[in-house]
Amino acid sequence: QVQLVESGGGLVQAGGSLRLSCVASGLTFRIYGMGWFRQAPGKEREFVAGISPNSLTTNYEDSVKGRFTISRDNAKNTVYLQLNSLKPEDTGVYYCAADRGGTGQAKRTYEKWGQGTQVSVSS
């Protein structure tokens, strides 16, 4: 029923940019906090960015702050992650997640997850 579908990943050179999108269906998108997570091979999944339902609150992992921007368009049931100044260590599978009642915090139980989109950054 609930689906989160990520897109926009790809292979880019260091310093390049990507824009990830996540389209949600089967839920009342506007009442969910949304987050982006990533997982590199051999590493734990980590929080990257989060956003509150009304976009008033955003949160970022320290290593991406100033480079990545999370945003959402509730009319389109879509959350975005703009990735700029990409580094090889940004490589990983990026997942979109939804948290009913949340405000985009890192330490939350995100109950709905997408399948992920691969981001690869070459040096």
Side-chain angles (χ1 to χ4, degrees):
Q1 177 78 325
V2 174
Q3 285 191 301
L4 303 176
V5 181
E6 302 96 334
S7 62
L11 174 63
V12 298
Q13 293 182 334
S17 297
L18 287 171
R19 189 194 191 208
L20 309 184
S21 298
C22 171
V23 180
S25 61
L27 52 75
T28 306
F29 183 76
R30 62 180 175 83
I31 66 172
Y32 283 78
M34 300 297 296
W36 285 96
F37 296 76
R38 68 187 178 190
Q39 187 167 25
K43 293 187 176 181
E44 299 291 326
R45 183 182 64 198
E46 70 172 339
F47 175 83
V48 176
I51 188 166
S52 63
N54 59 9
S55 298
L56 292 179
T57 301
T58 58
N59 297 287
Y60 297 94
E61 194 275 323
D62 287 343
S63 70
V64 310
K65 194 170 185 178
R67 299 189 297 120
F68 293 4
T69 303
I70 188 170
S71 62
R72 66 191 293 162
D73 186 342
N74 288 347
K76 296 181 178 179
N77 282 11
T78 302
V79 62
Y80 306 94
L81 187 67
Q82 179 68 42
L83 303 86
N84 295 329
S85 302
L86 282 161
K87 305 174 180 180
E89 53 262 44
D90 295 318
T91 293
V93 178
Y94 282 67
Y95 298 92
C96 174
D99 171 25
R100 192 181 191 277
T103 56
Q105 308 104 307
K107 293 189 176 294
R108 293 281 298 180
T109 300
Y110 288 79
E111 62 264 34
K112 307 294 183 182
W113 294 83
Q115 293 297 112
T117 185
Q118 177 71 44
V119 171
S120 298
V121 185
S122 64
S123 59

